[in-house]
Amino acid sequence: MAPTLRSAHQQRRHGCAYNLGYLRAALERHGLGERWAYWDAINDVYHGLSREAVRTLYAEADALINLCGATQLREEHLRCPVRIMIDTDRSMSRSNTPRPTLRRAPMSTRNTHFFTYGANLGTTACPIPLSGVPWRATRPPVDLDLWPEPPRDAAVPPCFTTIATWENKGKNIDFEGNSYLWSKHTNFLEYLDLPRHRPQTCFRMAMLPPDEAVRETVEAGGWGLADPRPVSAGMDAYRDFISGLARRVHRRQGHLCPAEQRLVSDRAVCYLAAGRPVVTMRTGLIAYCPAGHGLFDYASKDEALAAIDTIAADYSGHSRAARELAGDCFAGERVLAQLLAERGL
């Protein structure tokens, strides 16, 4: 989960004290209390490690990981010879196309290596034009030590849950005569009445409705609503929401090759690590992580309901299987070791 930090607009009004406090507390608990830096770009001031120390680290590091491609690399970053960009939400994958109908997302060409969660990009199964960018597949890593395994006699969580933003705007794409929405709400609407087909089961969504009409629509479908702001305000709250309440029902966003990208979200991986079975829309992930025990994929409402029923019939078994899948398919030490090994590190 990305930390909940103040935006640049908020920093102009309130300063960066909130961000500094959040980062300091988060990193100290993991033994990095003296090994972090925060650059206040508005005032060009470094906190934590000094500017000189940070630049020295860039020169000495074996690799720099640019998660999500969120950082436009500057001259000091170029001191590190290996600069790895990891695309986590597939938007970057589509930004490197010469076709004018595709919207471009910022991506620094100063990165030297490119990895993506969309495992089929660049293959015949996925038609996205990559414009020569040599994408390689990776997976969302998870640290199992941060997600305590539930005891075997743990109570069955009361609800299936999902955590999401209702609608994302500004990233829709027109491609080869088709329009693709960069938003989950169209799939939400298609499956919104799942709770009414299983009235004995609780369904809960951590989502802030953009207006009362959406709130009424969601609640009429049988979903309970939780305020996502406290859920995402800190790592403990996020972990507790997943570990304490949830089996997961997930809907994907629209993609250019929706059934063939072979991807799974980092949030779904957190559910698995917590021993919470996951029901997710079919994206081809079973090519590297088997579905049917702890993890289920679906392409229709009937398949989603069947998965829900299967989990309910043997929750403890599927809980153990979910945890095992997290270790087998997404354990951080394995994912990162493979990524670095492919770069000769």
Side-chain angles (χ1 to χ4, degrees):
M1 180 193 68
T4 304
L5 302 180
R6 291 194 188 278
S7 67
H9 173 71
Q10 291 171 318
Q11 287 186 57
R12 289 189 183 98
R13 294 180 57 193
H14 305 289
C16 63
Y18 175 87
N19 290 357
L20 288 172
Y22 188 105
L23 289 174
R24 183 180 291 110
L27 295 175
E28 282 180 352
R29 67 190 295 180
H30 298 297
L32 299 172
E34 303 299 325
R35 299 176 62 189
W36 63 271
Y38 179 95
W39 178 45
D40 175 0
I42 295 172
N43 299 300
D44 192 24
V45 175
Y46 276 75
H47 300 270
L49 294 176
S50 67
R51 185 190 308 267
E52 293 71 23
V54 171
R55 291 185 174 182
T56 298
L57 281 177
Y58 288 143
E60 295 176 348
D62 293 320
L64 182 154
I65 293 179
N66 189 2
L67 189 63
C68 308
T71 298
Q72 292 296 312
L73 299 186
R74 303 182 300 278
E75 291 302 317
E76 59 262 36
H77 296 125
L78 304 187
R79 298 183 178 193
C80 184
V82 177
R83 302 178 295 278
I84 300 170
M85 197 197 83
I86 301 179
D87 166 25
T88 65
D89 66 4
R90 286 80 63 198
S91 65
M92 299 298 176
S93 309
R94 297 196 295 261
S95 67
N96 300 282
T97 168
R99 307 192 184 192
T101 54
L102 296 190
R103 299 192 180 187
R104 296 172 182 265
M107 186 193 76
S108 173
T109 57
R110 293 181 168 190
N111 296 291
T112 61
H113 302 87
F114 302 84
F115 287 82
T116 176
Y117 292 172
N120 270 351
L121 289 173
T123 73
T124 57
C126 190
I128 297 174
L130 303 183
S131 300
V133 177
W135 291 104
R136 300 181 69 90
T138 189
R139 308 173 189 178
V142 67
D143 185 346
L144 293 178
D145 291 340
L146 301 180
W147 297 90
E149 185 173 5
R152 288 183 175 269
D153 59 350
V156 177
C159 296
F160 279 93
T161 72
T162 189
I163 307 172
T165 300
W166 177 258
E167 183 176 5
N168 294 294
K169 299 180 180 180
K171 296 183 180 180
N172 296 344
I173 291 172
D174 295 323
F175 181 68
E176 295 188 344
N178 295 310
S179 295
Y180 297 87
L181 299 180
W182 187 252
S183 181
K184 292 182 179 179
H185 73 284
T186 54
N187 283 322
F188 274 131
L189 291 170
E190 184 178 352
Y191 290 89
L192 199 60
D193 66 343
L194 280 178
R196 290 194 287 187
H197 293 273
R198 294 295 182 271
Q200 74 279 11
T201 302
C202 169
F203 291 81
R204 194 175 185 211
M205 186 185 302
M207 185 270 293
L208 194 64
D211 53 51
E212 283 304 309
V214 170
R215 178 184 297 277
E216 292 173 3
T217 298
V218 172
E219 291 179 339
W223 291 83
L225 283 171
D227 188 340
R229 290 169 293 189
V231 172
S232 63
M235 291 180 287
D236 289 338
Y238 181 78
R239 182 192 60 209
D240 292 346
F241 180 85
I242 290 175
S243 299
L245 291 175
R247 300 162 283 177
R248 189 177 198 225
V249 178
H250 174 64
R251 292 146 193 75
R252 57 166 168 77
Q253 294 162 306
H255 298 295
L256 293 186
C257 41
E260 296 86 15
Q261 280 217 49
R262 283 169 50 193
L263 56 91
V264 63
S265 72
D266 49 6
R267 188 171 296 153
V269 172
C270 289
Y271 273 80
L272 293 173
R276 300 311 187 198
V278 170
V279 181
T280 186
M281 293 190 78
R282 186 161 299 145
T283 61
L285 63 92
I286 60 173
Y288 61 79
C289 194
H293 201 198
L295 172 66
F296 298 83
D297 64 344
Y298 63 90
S300 69
K301 193 175 298 183
D302 286 342
E303 288 180 350
L305 291 170
I308 289 167
D309 293 341
T310 300
I311 291 171
D314 181 19
Y315 177 78
S316 61
H318 290 291
S319 174
R320 293 192 297 272
R323 174 76 176 190
E324 291 171 2
L325 283 174
D328 291 343
C329 301
F330 305 104
E333 60 272 20
R334 295 185 182 182
V335 173
L336 294 177
Q338 180 179 353
L339 184 151
L340 295 175
E342 290 187 25
R343 300 278 54 87
L345 299 174

